[in-house]
Amino acid sequence: MAHINKILALLLISLSAFSQTKLDKLVANEINQYRSELSVPKVKFDRICFQAANHHTTYLTCKNKKIWPNLICGHNEDTLKNPQNRYAFYTKEKYQNLAEVVVCINQNFNQDDTLILKKVAKLVVDGWKNSPPHNKIIISKDFELLGVSCQTFTHSVGVKSFIHYTIISTGVFLKK
């Protein structure tokens, strides 16, 4: 019964968040800017990719809040075990031409910094660029559609005006 309650809680959280945040859009823009620099066509927003990405980001955020300051970052889940399962859950269609990128970051920021979101977006994309398998996905000409979901939670660092951010982001890429 507890297992079903966890699934329902994750589903409720995922279903309540169908729209991109400003940070999600900034990360997608960073990806497209990087792709443009490499003469790779831009990817377009896809609602189902976003839902699958948001599902996984929510899952990781829930897990990481429980074990902070440690981080769990990966592509597997307890129920919807892989990106294809998560995508199929929201569309009832199965796609093999699907890839997922995930990054988890711990970073301190000055609370007075008005560019925190832009800096976070750059950190997220740089995390993927610095990982050869993730970089290969984000620059692949094969992918046409993208959904990005970012979630953050914060903690005090005990230093005036600084705050610790934990950032979790998932991107789901698809070729139709």
Side-chain angles (χ1 to χ4, degrees), residues 31-84:
I31 290 170
N32 276 328
Q33 180 180 340
Y34 179 48
R35 288 172 67 98
S36 290
E37 291 167 5
L38 300 173
S39 300
V40 177
K42 292 180 178 183
V43 286
K44 295 177 183 151
F45 173 78
D46 180 75
R47 183 179 57 81
I48 303 298
C49 287
F50 169 75
Q51 290 172 314
N54 190 59
H55 184 101
H56 192 59
T57 299
T58 300
Y59 171 85
L60 288 174
T61 299
C62 290
K63 287 274 194 188
N64 282 303
K65 282 183 176 180
K66 292 177 184 173
I67 65 160
W68 188 87
N70 297 317
L71 281 176
I72 295 172
C73 198
H75 298 276
N76 298 326
E77 289 187 19
D78 297 333
T79 24
L80 300 176
K81 297 197 181 291
N82 60 49
Q84 286 77 14

Side-chain angles (χ1 to χ4, degrees), residues 19-138:
S19 61
Q20 287 185 303
T21 65
K22 184 174 181 178
L23 181 55
D24 299 338
K25 292 174 187 175
L26 287 170
V27 170
N29 289 343
E30 278 284 323
I31 290 170
N32 276 328
Q33 180 180 340
Y34 179 48
R35 288 172 67 98
S36 290
E37 291 167 5
L38 300 173
S39 300
V40 177
K42 292 180 178 183
V43 286
K44 295 177 183 151
F45 173 78
D46 180 75
R47 183 179 57 81
I48 303 298
C49 287
F50 169 75
Q51 290 172 314
N54 190 59
H55 184 101
H56 192 59
T57 299
T58 300
Y59 171 85
L60 288 174
T61 299
C62 290
K63 287 274 194 188
N64 282 303
K65 282 183 176 180
K66 292 177 184 173
I67 65 160
W68 188 87
N70 297 317
L71 281 176
I72 295 172
C73 198
H75 298 276
N76 298 326
E77 289 187 19
D78 297 333
T79 24
L80 300 176
K81 297 197 181 291
N82 60 49
Q84 286 77 14
N85 293 143
R86 291 187 283 279
Y87 188 88
F89 178 79
Y90 289 99
T91 189
K92 307 300 181 235
E93 296 177 41
K94 293 190 178 193
Y95 284 96
Q96 294 305 311
N97 296 325
L98 181 81
E100 180 180 78
V101 292
V102 178
V103 68
C104 301
I105 301 167
N106 278 318
Q107 183 77 34
N108 293 333
F109 287 102
N110 185 324
Q111 294 180 71
D112 300 327
D113 188 346
T114 58
L115 300 174
I116 287 177
L117 285 181
K118 287 185 179 189
K119 289 178 179 178
V120 169
K122 183 163 177 25
L123 273 173
V124 166
V125 175
D126 284 349
W128 291 328
K129 287 165 63 172
N130 293 327
S131 164
H134 289 119
N135 188 57
K136 185 177 177 182
I137 291 167
I138 65 174

